[in-house]
Amino acid sequence: ATAALAGCGSSGSGNDRPTLGFSQVGAESGWRTANTRSIQESAKTAGINLKFADAQQKQENQIKAIRTFIQQHVDVIAFSPVVESGWDTVLKEAKDAKIPVLLTDRAVDSKDTSLYETFLGSDFVTEGHKAGQWVADQYKGSNETVNIAVLEGTTGSAPAIDRKKGFADIIGTDPKFKIVASQDGDFTRAKGKEVMQAYLASKQRIDVLFAHNDDMALGAIQAIEEAGLKPGKDIKILSIDGVHDALQAEVDGKENYVVECNPLLGPQLMDLVGKVKAGQPIEKRIVTEETTFTPEQAKAALPDRKY
Ligand code: AHR
């Protein structure tokens, strides 16, 4: 598959409006759709020419899109890297072309941090800690074994690596917590459902399901219902993101806890584009502020939830 490239406005020089080349991961989740909309709308508001490329969750498509942006001499390149590794060569090409690069949402593992200006996004390890802490609190005072199944995000992606680590940091301190299944659900509803069906078919008792994002939890909820079980009751469910459908699932009693990951990065990103274009200094790491939702908090938040 080739990356879809959609431009609006003119490229590079010859226009005072800065041109931003943005390579998006794909459209795998409700979170991602909200993130794309935030970037497109805030570019328009800020008067930034946006060249938007959807990588369809393939690193090769992102590399191709970044090379196209370099050839087009855009003013700034931003991207949300599908996986953490393998970016040094293309980032060096951007640096040699003197085009500043901004990382949004996900990090790269490049040792040479001069290859990018900043990383704007969530602290995924903290999100994993919040999820682990909720599980620990639910079973405080009990000595019984708690079987936990995990639906992991895309293998090699920063949120999958960091959320797994953060969760393990907390539940790993008590031997009563046992991870009985942990597989890649690729951050999608369809894969979350498919992997959950396999977990249920194994007949392993599952007390808690931790999904690295809401969409996989929502797919798993379907699988659990189709297996004749009650999600949220027979199996406690928690996930990360905070999209409308997951908050609704909490209100409906099908999900028990949601850790927020904020997708609305567009306004901050456009502000950073303006600053690097003007040669102003920016912070090397900008962390997004986030909350958590119990079912009661989900009910209160739902009427104003935009995504
Ligand atoms: O990188 C952020 C993660 O990617 C979100 O949790 C998930 O929904 C998305 O696909």
Side-chain angles (χ1 to χ4, degrees):
T2 54
L5 252 182
C8 43
S10 67
S11 71
S13 47
N15 185 336
D16 332 333
R17 291 163 53 140
T19 295
L20 168 67
F22 184 84
S23 169
Q24 179 62 289
V25 170
E28 73 284 4
S29 61
W31 187 101
R32 188 65 55 196
T33 308
N35 179 247
T36 292
R37 200 178 312 129
S38 169
I39 286 160
Q40 290 174 331
E41 287 176 1
S42 44
K44 207 178 265 177
T45 308
I48 288 172
N49 297 316
L50 177 67
K51 291 179 168 293
F52 183 89
D54 176 343
Q56 297 159 10
Q57 281 188 279
K58 290 198 170 66
Q59 183 174 33
E60 71 212 62
N61 289 343
Q62 287 202 296
I63 292 175
K64 220 182 279 175
I66 293 170
R67 291 206 164 115
T68 303
F69 296 147
I70 295 171
Q71 278 161 17
Q72 292 171 333
H73 305 292
V74 299
D75 297 300
V76 180
I77 292 171
F79 77 118
S80 176
V82 59
V83 289
E84 272 191 351
S85 309
W87 299 102
D88 288 20
T89 306
V90 74
L91 290 180
K92 179 89 179 24
E93 288 165 23
K95 190 177 177 185
D96 291 346
K98 301 198 171 16
I99 301 175
V101 172
L102 311 176
L103 303 177
T104 80
D105 163 36
R106 297 184 182 180
V108 298
D109 65 3
S110 301
K111 297 274 170 294
D112 180 0
T113 56
S114 76
L115 294 175
Y116 56 89
E117 304 300 312
T118 188
F119 166 35
L120 162 69
S122 307
D123 182 334
F124 297 134
V125 176
T126 298
E127 292 172 353
H129 285 161
K130 290 176 183 170
Q133 195 54 54
W134 182 83
V135 175
D137 291 345
Q138 294 308 298
Y139 295 94
K140 204 184 263 165
S142 158
N143 287 325
E144 305 219 342
T145 300
V146 179
N147 283 355
I148 303 171
V150 180
L151 289 168
E152 297 181 21
T154 307
T155 302
S157 68
I161 294 166
D162 293 353
R163 288 170 184 169
K164 183 176 188 165
K165 184 191 174 304
F167 190 69
D169 283 347
I170 306 294
I171 59 147
T173 59
D174 188 334
K176 75 172 179 253
F177 294 116
K178 297 223 171 344
I179 304 240
V180 294
S182 192
Q183 281 179 34
D184 184 356
D186 211 13
F187 283 128
T188 67
R189 249 178 232 219
K191 202 72 203 295
K193 181 175 181 182
E194 190 186 309
V195 176
M196 191 66 209
Q197 282 169 333
Y199 290 171
L200 293 167
S202 76
K203 302 284 178 209
Q204 170 75 63
R205 194 191 86 229
I206 297 171
D207 301 307
V208 174
L209 173 71
F210 168 43
H212 283 183
N213 84 340
D214 288 349
D215 278 78
M216 292 189 292
L218 292 163
I221 286 171
Q222 283 176 23
I224 293 166
E225 286 181 325
E226 284 169 21
L229 296 170
K230 287 196 169 47
K233 295 187 180 68
D234 295 326
I235 300 175
K236 288 193 168 70
I237 302 177
L238 72 155
S239 61
I240 298 178
D241 275 356
V243 300
H244 187 279
D245 290 1
L247 300 189
Q248 186 63 53
E250 283 195 276
V251 171
D252 296 342
K254 298 179 180 186
E255 184 159 357
N256 309 83
Y257 194 61
V258 170
V259 174
E260 186 181 43
C261 177
N262 186 359
L264 306 180
L265 303 176
Q268 272 174 296
L269 177 61
M270 299 314 146
D271 188 47
L272 291 167
V273 170
K275 285 188 171 147
V276 292
K277 176 87 194 324
Q280 291 170 15
I282 58 173
E283 298 283 323
K284 198 76 193 178
R285 175 74 171 108
I286 302 163
V287 183
T288 325
E289 279 187 25
E290 290 160 348
T291 184
T292 53
F293 298 97
T294 60
E296 295 70 36
Q297 289 163 328
K299 192 171 179 196
L302 261 176
D304 299 322
R305 207 66 178 164
K306 297 274 185 300
Y307 55 90

